[in-house]
Each structure stands twice: as C-alpha cells, then as structure tokens.
Amino acid sequence: MTEIVLGVGASHSTLMNTHWEETFHKDRAERFRDALRSARDELAAVRPDTVILVGSNHFRGFWLDLIPSFTIGVGECIASGESGTPKGSQPVDVPLARYIANSLVEGGRFDVAFSARLQIDHGQSHAIQYLLDGLEVEIVPLVVNVFAPPLPTLDRCEQLGRAIRDAVLAFPEGRRVAVIGSGGLSHRLPWPDWRHPQGDDEEFMVGAWLNGRDDWQDYDARRREIIRAAEAALNPEFDDEFLSLVERGQTHRITEYTTETLEKTAGNGAQELRTWLLTAALLDHAPARRLAYEPMPEWLTGMAVAVLDPARTTQERQP
C-alpha cells in the first residue's frame, strides 16, 4: 500500500547561504532556520521512503530554448549547486516517478514533460539541503515553470496536484511518500518578462536565459549583482492571508487569482506559490500548522514554513 504521510511548504532563498553575515534581522532569520529544522524532524519522524519535491525553475536547469509547464524527473537528477546549495547527482525513485508520468499521460489528464537527465537548481536543492539533510530518501522531482510566461494557471496546478495524488495512491509497489513544495512567499525579483526586456540589465538576463545551457556559470556573477541591487517588495498582509488559507485546508482558494493579479499583489516571485498549491492538493488540502513566517527584506522574500498532516484531516472528519 502506498500512502502520503506528510507535506511541507517552505520558502527558499540562496541569500540565506551566501549573505548570512550581512543579514540584519538575525532574530527573524534564526526563527526561520529553526522552523526548517523542525519541519525536517517531522519529516524524519514519519519515515518516508520517497519525497515528491515540487520546485521552480530559475534558469539554471531550464532555458528559453525549451520551457515545459511541468517536468517530472524520471531518471538521473543533477543539482547545479549554485550559491552553496547541494551539487551533483540526487537519488531518484525511478519506478514511482515513471509510474506517475505514465499514469498522467495514459489517463488522459496531463501530457507532462519528463526528463531522464534532469538538472535542478536551488528551487529544489535548497529543500534538499535544509529539509532532507541526513534523511535516507529518494525523490521524485517536479519542476514547475513559474518565471517564463505564459505560466500554467493556478487552477491547472491544483488539478495536477490532485492527479498526481491519485497516481501515487494507486502505485502498486508500496511507498511512504512525503511532499515538499519549495518557493514563495511574496517577493519581487528584478527579472523581466522575457518577451519585452527593457534596458541593458534586462537584455542581459534574457540573453543568459536563452544561451546559458552550457555555460550558465559565466552569467552568474552579473546575475547576482542585479539581484543584490534590487529593493525588497514584500507584502506581509498577503502572506498572512495565504498562510491562513493553508492552515484551514483552503489553499485551493488561491486559484481565484490570475497570474497577473497575483504578480500585482505579491510580486513576480509569488508565482512560486504554485508549488505550495500543488503540495496542498497532493495532501487533499489537509489543514496545516504554520511553523514560521518572517518577512526578510535582506533575502527579498517573505519566508515561511508550514507542515500539512493528513492525519489531522482523518481525525477531524471522524464523527
């Protein structure tokens, strides 16, 4: 029997690795880091065999020469290792990954892309570093396009989460499966709409996204300079409202936003909330516990951690 035993939603930021000493709000940063440790301990306690790791693309593993909406890693998985995140080969649960991909396509619900040699970036390896540290688990990596429009709609992401849930629960070999959604919350990156770059920096970024497949490291120094020069644009009120939805098992209500209204309200980085939505749908929207929320302007991001426990749903539905 295969079961889904826990879900975690967690923000990521490579600035946590590279600019810790320059972080002004150390108390907030410590609370967020402690929450990651707590979530990691809860993952360890439920003893998962496999973690479905839902993350975003930051143009170090996917490039403008080909951007699928959703890509499942079904073979090798290689982390790019930028900004102090893990580098190199990651263990993949190949039988489960291929079963999910096949079920989605054969069932006629989703024509997902797949990769037998997937390169991931900190959109997933940040979670590997902080949430899977020391855990002997395999992963099923799922990369969601959140930064190269047109983006998959929020409703489509919710539908995919439900479809993957059905496939996982039907997997005949038996697994204890956890799910991690890595990304968000509110933040604005100095990244252009690739279709309409304005100015030298935006032209440079689009060129890096188009041409960086074989030499992305050559573009990285200037990329980092552009990011570090950006001003933070957080929306703590939106973040609190979103986390309240997650806590109540109502994450699906975020689908009321369009891509455009979500960016206007919470910044282009908030498009990463698709990873939380997918995770919640995989957990059948079990109610969550908020472990931390800290607005971190030094990291340009509203940083949060929440744990979704399906056992709570079962208990609460008992008469």
Side-chain angles (χ1 to χ4, degrees), residues 285-305:
H285 294 286
R289 287 179 293 108
R290 186 188 316 197
L291 301 188
Y293 172 70
E294 303 295 340
M296 292 297 299
E298 305 97 312
W299 300 348
L300 305 179
T301 305
M303 307 293 289
V305 183

Side-chain angles (χ1 to χ4, degrees), residues 2-29:
T2 296
E3 55 184 328
I4 300 173
V5 295
L6 201 72
V8 175
S11 305
H12 60 242
S13 173
T14 58
L15 299 174
M16 178 174 165
N17 289 352
T18 60
H19 290 75
W20 183 265
E21 295 307 319
E22 299 173 27
T23 299
F24 178 74
H25 295 95
K26 280 288 200 304
D27 54 342
R28 301 180 188 178

Side-chain angles (χ1 to χ4, degrees), residues 4 64 116 133 176 279 308:
I4 300 173
L64 288 176
D133 180 41
R176 292 178 61 81
T279 297
L308 296 82

Side-chain angles (χ1 to χ4, degrees), residues 25-264:
H25 295 95
K26 280 288 200 304
D27 54 342
R28 301 180 188 178
E30 292 285 3
R31 287 193 294 267
F32 173 73
R33 192 160 64 176
D34 288 345
L36 288 178
R37 293 193 189 101
S38 296
R40 182 262 172 212
D41 290 345
E42 294 202 35
L43 282 166
V46 297
R47 299 176 288 104
D49 303 303
T50 304
V51 172
I52 297 176
L53 184 48
V54 189
S56 50
N57 60 311
H58 296 86
F59 302 102
R60 291 185 180 90
F62 286 81
W63 314 94
L64 288 176
D65 57 4
L66 182 63
I67 299 281
S69 292
F70 309 107
T71 305
I72 297 177
V74 298
E76 297 178 43
C77 180
I78 303 165
S80 58
E82 83 281 9
S83 304
T85 55
K87 182 177 183 179
S89 180
Q90 306 298 317
V92 174
D93 186 340
V94 172
L96 178 57
R98 294 183 180 179
Y99 183 87
I100 292 171
N102 187 71
S103 296
L104 293 173
V105 174
E106 290 293 329
R109 298 175 73 174
F110 279 87
D111 297 320
V112 293
F114 67 87
S115 173
R117 183 172 292 154
L118 179 67
Q119 180 170 310
I120 58 174
D121 61 30
H122 74 270
Q124 292 177 312
S125 58
H126 193 278
I128 292 171
Q129 181 176 17
Y130 290 101
L131 293 172
L132 301 184
D133 180 41
L135 275 62
E136 294 184 2
V137 297
E138 295 181 316
I139 64 172
V140 174
L142 172 62
V143 180
V144 183
N145 172 34
V146 303
F147 286 124
L151 309 183
T153 65
L154 290 157
D155 184 62
R156 192 63 171 158
C157 292
E158 208 268 342
Q159 293 174 31
L160 178 60
R162 292 186 178 278
I164 294 176
R165 173 182 172 83
D166 291 344
V168 169
L169 295 178
F171 183 61
E173 295 184 23
R175 292 285 193 279
R176 292 178 61 81
V177 177
V179 188
I180 295 174
S182 180
L185 302 185
S186 68
H187 62 296
R188 180 171 298 282
L189 297 173
W191 287 6
D193 182 329
W194 67 271
R195 300 164 296 187
H196 309 291
Q198 305 291 323
D200 290 343
D201 282 349
E202 293 194 0
E203 292 281 0
F204 168 81
M205 293 293 266
V206 173
W209 299 343
L210 181 62
N211 302 312
R213 179 175 294 278
D214 296 322
D215 54 357
W216 63 264
Q217 297 93 335
D218 295 344
Y219 296 92
D220 223 37
R222 185 172 173 188
R223 276 178 51 135
R224 300 293 291 179
E225 290 176 0
I226 293 171
I227 291 172
R228 290 300 295 154
E231 294 185 3
L234 309 184
N235 187 336
E237 292 77 15
F238 169 85
D239 291 343
D240 181 67
E241 291 174 4
F242 174 74
L243 290 170
S244 294
L245 293 178
V246 179
E247 289 175 305
R248 297 196 302 268
Q250 297 177 350
T251 315
H252 57 87
R253 288 182 54 187
I254 196 69
T255 60
E256 296 171 7
Y257 283 85
T258 66
T259 295
E260 292 73 21
T261 58
L262 181 59
E263 177 169 351
K264 182 178 181 180

